[in-house]
Amino acid sequence: MQRGNIFDYKNYLYFKLAVVMILIAFAAFMVFEPAVGHYGGSWIGYGLGTISALMVLWMAWYGVRKRRYRSAGTTQGWLSAHIYLGTALTVIVTLHSGFHFGFNIHTLAYGLLLVVVVSGFFGNYAYMIYPRQMTENMGEDSLDGLLLRIAEANKLARQIALLMPDDINNIVTHACQATHIGVGILEQLRGFQPNCPSALAVQKLTTMGNHLSTEQRKLHRELYSIMVRRQSLVKRARQDLMYRSRLGFWLYFHVPFAIALLVAMTAHIIAVFFYW
Amino acid sequence: MIHCLLIKITTNSRNLPVRSYHTLTAEELTFGRAAECSVHLPDPRIAMHHAVIKRMNDEQLHIVSINGELEVDGAIQQTIILTQGQQIMIGPYQLTMEPAPPDVDIAASLTLMHRLPDDFQDLKSRTHDPLPNASSFKRKLSAWMAGLITLIFLALPLAQNLIPQLRTAMTDLPFGFDRVWSPGHFSNAHLRFISQCSNCHQTLSRRVTDQACLKCHTDTAPHIADKNLELRAFKTARLSTGGMRCAQCHREHKAPFSLAQQDNANCIKCHGNIKTVNPNTTLKNIHDFDVDHPGFKLTFKNNTKDANIERIPQSDKARLIEKSGIKFPHSQHVGLVQGPGGMWDVHELPCSACHHQDGKEMRFKPVSFKRDCLSCHSQQLVVGPPKARLKIPHSEENNVFNQLKVYAPKQQLQYSENLKSDGCGYCHDIVDSKKGDALPWHIAPVSINQDWFSKAHFNHASHRTHKCQSCHDVDHSESSADVAMPDRKSCLRCHSGNSQKYKRIPSTCMSCHDFHNSHTMSENEVENKSGNTKSIATKVKPN
């Protein structure tokens, strides 16, 4: 892992801050227990709730902050705080709830927060793992570069297949025409095409060279090596799309649920103070 | 032999058609990818040997598919008779039958209709960008979720509260829109009243008022009988929000926790520094039963007119004398006792032989002569010298003296003295008659105290695992004047105060005291507070 990243920013400053916050919250939770058990409306509950609400607003402000070039602090520092304090927030909110859950706006807000945090964890994981794998996968190539090389391989393979028997020609043609790369979100996230014609073509070509003439066998070998090379290019292109989609997919949950959380939290606070 | 004129139509760089003419002569004209075919079509969509034109038995020319497909007007056919003007698709090529010149059998033009697409562009069209339309999806999802949450969890509950017509219309429904605001489970006591939040939350943004509670709980006793003092006390206790509300101690939506608050915090707010509430009070500051709770006071019934109840501290032992009007040594009625059969009738007499439990809190029914004494003692009073004994049934003193008048009119005085010392006087206190009274003496009224701790409650049922004598020292009580009530130290053997101690369970104020037990009650109020069985003093009827 690179040195000086978001996790060990300023010698784990925000990690330490998060740990201290969690410890203080736990200590307060253990020491001041109301007679009717913990709940959000006790003094300790109000305290934890107020801190949590302010933290949620501050977390949401990160979405605005990261789109600005000029603001207080570095974006790296903000992200480090966003991650660590967001984790501490989950603990504080859980203590605020007093472990009372039901079918109401309060638990809904809590559930939305959990979705936001868990999706954030996945995003965190994705940004820890995938950039390195993307670089390993692509090297200095770009996706368009790969596609160009696949297209060239297609052309070459088809030309050779013109001289081959119909079954081989059909397989190659089908592989060239039916292979697609990352069509649909599911395929992008999975990183492979079910029953991929390119893979099937390579598989079938291995068993189809027996009845060929000597001249054709030579061509078959050449065709096979092209198809194998082409298949590895297709695989790399798909992997690249998979990493890129996984890097962005968690935001499908993180952002909309964060906005829903802000609305639910507002409703939660209004409900609490309108119905004392 | 077939003589064929084949016109190949291609396009030049300016996309204009270029026609090239070929004359083919063969037994059969083959079309295919293979080099040996008469018409060589180098396209991957064409089979190696795709089709053949040959003369069939009917002497007409047919085109017959071999390994490829032939289409006419979109329909795949195996064999097609060649006629002028006919258009046949051979893979991506179109074969059009032209008017034949005289020196050939047939003439046909061949055009490549569907070119192979550019490989790169084709592949690009089958490669999607990562997460297409992500921004618009996220925007739409955000808007939908925010909208739904606002509608269901904010707008509808607010509308129900702010629009009186809607509120009225929903009154009889099993629940309202604002149910989604309920923060927790309801207590069992209120389960019948939760159909609408507004039953208790009467005004939006105002906390539940006492009026909402008092709508149903009309007979709740105050904490202090003096209304002004109570108001002042509660205002002092709740400095921050002013006044004390029912909901301060009775927390709803907290089931399965008790609806009534059981900790001492609110009690100590006043009783920890009671002088701030009432400078004239004689009460002491109390923070903890284990630490600074004063010794118990026992409630005595006082016959003087100005104060019916007197509360005497247990430390003032000289004044702890019960005047029950009965002579009853507990020591002779506990453990192994002699029954009516004399020394041959010795048996164990438990406390429950006379003290019969009553109710789920295991209070006790008043002792009854008929039920409790007659099991051992005779109902008849035997008086007089051995030779002239009279047996008079146990009854009111008037009846007893009337019987004496009837059976021994002349020795009435002697029998009367005998009754006074050994008959009625055996169990009852005797008081002298006033001047002019018809009877020479009277039986003192019987008044056995039933509730010594009138300002607290004690649940015998919770303590039934202990022997009665572990708290009530009656084994050595020779006189009915003794008061065998346990003191605070006895309680502290098993109980602690606010916090748990080693082998002692914590006890809050509410463990013994009732907040709604008004503190300056008259005798009648005390007697009625828990029904007759808990009345302070009960007269025991002689029969």
Side-chain angles (χ1 to χ4, degrees):
Chain A
M1 194 175 284
Q2 288 177 322
R3 292 200 60 75
N5 59 22
I6 51 171
F7 296 105
D8 58 6
Y9 181 79
K10 284 194 177 170
N11 198 19
Y12 296 97
L13 171 69
Y14 292 110
F15 171 73
K16 291 171 188 168
L17 187 62
V19 169
V20 169
M21 284 182 77
I22 290 172
L23 288 178
I24 291 174
F26 256 110
F29 187 80
M30 304 292 267
V31 174
F32 305 108
E33 183 176 0
V36 289
H38 283 290
Y39 65 103
S42 65
W43 288 115
I44 183 81
Y46 277 138
L48 292 171
T50 309
I51 293 169
S52 306
L54 293 175
M55 283 175 80
V56 166
L57 292 177
W58 185 77
M59 298 282 152
W61 183 251
Y62 171 76
V64 180
R65 163 66 185 80
K66 74 169 190 174
R67 288 173 176 78
R68 291 185 174 182
Y69 290 104
R70 286 182 185 174
S71 182
T74 61
T75 307
Q76 199 183 29
W78 271 76
L79 180 57
S80 181
H82 187 80
I83 292 167
Y84 283 125
L85 299 185
T87 311
L89 166 69
T90 318
V91 178
I92 294 173
V93 169
T94 308
L95 297 181
H96 165 65
S97 78
F99 302 96
H100 292 292
F101 304 110
F103 295 101
N104 51 41
I105 177 63
H106 318 289
T107 302
L108 175 76
Y110 179 73
L112 291 172
L113 177 87
L114 287 191
V115 173
V116 173
V117 171
V118 169
S119 62
F121 282 156
F122 179 77
N124 208 346
Y125 167 81
Y127 273 93
M128 275 168 65
I129 303 295
Y130 293 141
R132 177 201 291 261
Q133 292 185 353
M134 277 173 79
T135 314
E136 283 171 1
N137 179 47
M138 294 298 275
E140 292 181 351
D141 285 327
S142 65
L143 183 63
D144 271 0
L146 283 186
L147 294 184
L148 212 55
R149 284 161 66 185
I150 295 168
E152 280 172 12
N154 280 353
K155 204 169 182 178
L156 209 57
R158 266 207 319 270
Q159 276 174 2
I160 296 172
L162 279 178
L163 307 171
M164 305 297 280
D166 283 344
D167 48 358
I168 294 180
N169 178 59
N170 286 345
I171 286 169
V172 172
T173 310
H174 180 64
C176 295
Q177 288 180 345
T179 298
H180 46 75
I181 296 166
V183 174
I185 286 181
L186 197 62
E187 204 177 301
Q188 285 186 357
L189 291 173
R190 286 198 294 193
F192 67 90
Q193 179 186 357
N195 300 321
C196 170
S198 300
L200 284 177
V202 171
Q203 200 185 335
K204 283 183 180 169
L205 278 178
T206 53
T207 57
M208 293 174 85
N210 299 333
H211 59 282
L212 297 175
S213 63
T214 320
E215 207 171 300
Q216 279 181 327
R217 277 191 186 172
K218 198 178 161 193
L219 286 171
H220 177 264
R221 275 199 295 279
E222 199 180 334
L223 178 65
Y224 180 73
S225 70
I226 290 169
M227 290 304 284
V228 169
R229 198 171 68 241
R230 180 183 168 282
Q231 167 64 7
S232 83
L233 290 171
V234 167
K235 218 170 169 177
R236 279 174 61 195
R238 282 187 183 141
Q239 286 283 102
D240 185 53
L241 269 182
M242 181 189 83
Y243 293 135
R244 281 159 63 186
S245 59
R246 284 191 186 178
L247 275 179
F249 185 67
W250 61 279
L251 287 167
Y252 272 38
F253 298 92
H254 200 66
V255 175
F257 278 78
I259 288 167
L261 166 64
L262 288 176
V263 178
M265 193 177 79
T266 311
H268 159 69
I269 294 169
I270 288 175
V272 166
F273 289 105
F274 270 39
Y275 273 180
W276 282 64
Chain B
M1 278 298 205
I2 302 169
H3 300 283
C4 171
L5 176 66
L6 185 69
I7 308 159
K8 287 188 177 175
I9 304 173
T10 51
T11 51
N12 63 9
S13 55
R14 285 182 290 175
N15 215 22
L16 294 170
V18 178
R19 301 164 81 91
S20 58
Y21 296 83
H22 307 269
T23 311
L24 304 170
T25 305
E27 280 291 327
E28 292 177 340
L29 293 175
T30 52
F31 291 79
R33 211 159 25 86
E36 69 266 21
C37 290
S38 318
V39 183
H40 176 58
L41 301 173
D43 189 289
R45 293 166 286 183
I46 296 291
M48 194 67 97
H49 299 95
H50 200 100
V52 61
I53 294 177
K54 60 183 177 183
R55 201 177 295 279
M56 303 293 274
N57 294 338
D58 57 1
E59 289 300 313
Q60 284 190 314
L61 288 172
H62 290 65
I63 182 164
V64 181
S65 83
I66 306 171
N67 292 323
E69 289 174 348
L70 298 173
E71 274 181 47
V72 177
D73 297 333
I76 295 172
Q77 295 188 7
Q78 192 66 30
T79 306
I80 302 159
I81 301 170
L82 297 177
T83 52
Q84 193 181 323
Q86 199 165 27
Q87 291 181 333
I88 301 157
M89 293 301 295
I90 307 172
Y93 292 90
Q94 182 177 291
L95 186 74
T96 309
M97 302 312 293
E98 306 282 350
D103 54 337
V104 292
D105 297 324
I106 51 168
S109 64
L110 192 67
T111 319
L112 179 62
M113 299 301 287
H114 306 293
R115 288 186 173 281
L116 270 177
D118 179 72
D119 280 292
F120 177 68
Q121 292 304 333
D122 183 35
L123 187 62
K124 193 104 170 119
S125 71
R126 283 180 278 117
T127 305
H128 287 183
D129 288 334
L131 306 179
N133 305 322
S135 297
S136 97
F137 176 82
K138 280 186 270 189
R139 265 199 298 276
K140 279 179 191 166
L141 185 62
S142 305
W144 269 103
M145 284 170 63
L148 275 177
I149 292 171
T150 308
L151 177 72
I152 297 170
F153 295 99
L154 200 57
L156 289 178
L158 280 177
Q160 191 188 348
N161 278 284
L162 298 176
I163 304 171
Q165 293 86 344
L166 184 61
R167 189 169 172 163
T168 315
M170 296 185 73
T171 308
D172 296 331
L173 294 180
F175 54 84
F177 292 133
D178 44 7
R179 176 59 71 82
V180 294
W181 285 359
S182 169
H185 299 291
F186 295 95
S187 61
N188 282 338
H190 288 153
L191 272 182
R192 299 278 174 198
F193 310 102
I194 58 170
S195 60
Q196 296 299 321
C197 302
S198 57
N199 290 346
C200 298
H201 298 274
Q202 290 171 332
T203 315
L204 200 66
S205 82
R206 275 196 65 195
R207 297 187 298 177
V208 175
T209 58
D210 290 355
Q211 282 70 35
C213 306
L214 294 173
K215 242 183 359 179
C216 298
H217 300 275
T218 49
D219 57 348
T220 307
H223 183 55
I224 305 172
D226 182 348
K227 287 275 175 202
N228 290 330
L229 179 59
E230 186 177 63
L231 204 63
R232 204 169 63 238
F234 289 170
K235 268 192 177 166
T236 315
R238 294 297 303 160
L239 292 172
S240 57
T241 46
M244 193 157 171
R245 305 177 306 126
C246 301
Q248 189 119 12
C249 298
H250 299 282
R251 295 297 178 91
E252 187 45 279
H253 299 282
K254 299 287 174 289
F257 283 98
S258 163
L259 187 60
Q261 200 167 346
Q262 296 294 326
D263 70 337
N264 298 338
N266 277 340
C267 305
I268 293 173
K269 265 181 195 161
C270 288
H271 287 275
N273 195 4
I274 194 74
K275 293 278 183 195
T276 56
V277 177
N278 183 11
N280 304 322
T281 184
T282 54
L283 296 176
K284 290 181 177 174
N285 289 342
I286 305 173
H287 298 85
D288 193 327
F289 178 63
D290 196 16
V291 180
D292 53 2
H293 191 286
F296 300 152
K297 284 180 179 173
L298 300 181
T299 304
F300 283 83
K301 187 185 176 187
N302 193 328
N303 286 323
T304 54
K305 285 179 183 173
D306 49 345
N308 289 321
I309 295 170
E310 189 180 14
R311 304 191 69 236
I312 302 173
Q314 278 186 307
S315 55
D316 192 358
K317 292 197 188 306
R319 292 173 63 206
L320 295 181
I321 296 168
E322 187 183 11
K323 293 165 188 165
S324 59
I326 287 281
K327 294 170 185 166
F328 182 83
H330 263 99
S331 59
Q332 290 178 22
H333 292 84
V334 173
L336 288 175
V337 297
Q338 215 175 63
M343 62 182 289
W344 305 108
D345 188 18
V346 174
H347 60 271
E348 181 83 24
L349 192 64
C351 301
S352 57
C354 301
H355 297 286
H356 296 271
Q357 69 179 63
D358 184 22
K360 64 178 179 180
E361 289 197 349
M362 220 173 132
R363 302 204 60 84
F364 295 100
K365 292 174 183 168
V367 174
S368 149
F369 172 77
K370 202 172 178 180
R371 188 191 61 217
D372 303 320
C373 303
L374 282 184
S375 56
C376 296
H377 294 275
S378 166
Q379 196 183 359
Q380 289 182 323
L381 300 166
V382 182
V383 290
K387 287 181 182 171
R389 284 204 189 281
L390 272 181
K391 288 187 176 177
I392 301 168
H394 183 269
S395 177
E396 294 280 346
E397 54 211 308
N398 283 336
N399 292 343
V400 171
F401 278 107
N402 284 342
Q403 294 214 24
L404 279 184
K405 277 180 193 169
V406 173
Y407 293 115
K410 290 180 181 171
Q411 292 105 340
Q412 192 183 346
L413 191 62
Q414 184 192 343
Y415 280 109
S416 164
E417 285 305 311
N418 198 226
L419 268 178
K420 191 178 174 183
S421 61
D422 202 25
C424 303
Y426 186 77
C427 297
H428 290 274
D429 288 342
I430 304 294
V431 291
D432 292 333
S433 294
K434 291 172 185 170
K435 226 176 184 180
D437 201 333
L439 300 180
W441 46 265
H442 282 278
I443 288 174
V446 175
S447 172
I448 301 173
N449 205 339
Q450 280 291 112
D451 189 6
W452 293 102
F453 298 125
S454 57
K455 294 204 170 184
H457 52 81
F458 182 85
N459 189 342
H460 275 99
S462 314
H463 297 78
R464 63 179 177 273
T465 50
H466 288 264
K467 283 184 175 177
C468 305
Q469 284 94 327
S470 65
C471 296
H472 302 281
D473 181 21
V474 290
D475 286 350
H476 307 100
S477 170
E478 299 288 346
S479 162
S480 55
D482 295 342
V483 178
M485 295 306 290
D487 57 3
R488 176 169 158 263
K489 278 185 183 167
S490 315
C491 301
L492 287 175
R493 285 198 309 246
C494 302
H495 291 268
S496 64
N498 299 350
S499 54
Q500 189 169 358
K501 298 278 172 63
Y502 178 65
K503 284 193 174 177
R504 291 196 289 155
I505 56 168
S507 309
T508 63
C509 306
M510 293 295 141
S511 302
C512 302
H513 297 287
D514 183 3
F515 180 84
H516 293 289
N517 184 5
S518 183
H519 276 200
T520 49
M521 286 184 288
S522 67
E523 181 189 10
N524 288 337
E525 282 172 318
V526 173
E527 284 189 353
N528 292 328
K529 74 174 183 180
S530 266
N532 292 330
T533 55
K534 207 188 168 188
S535 59
I536 277 201
T538 312
K539 287 188 176 177
V540 179
K541 289 188 177 175
N543 57 344

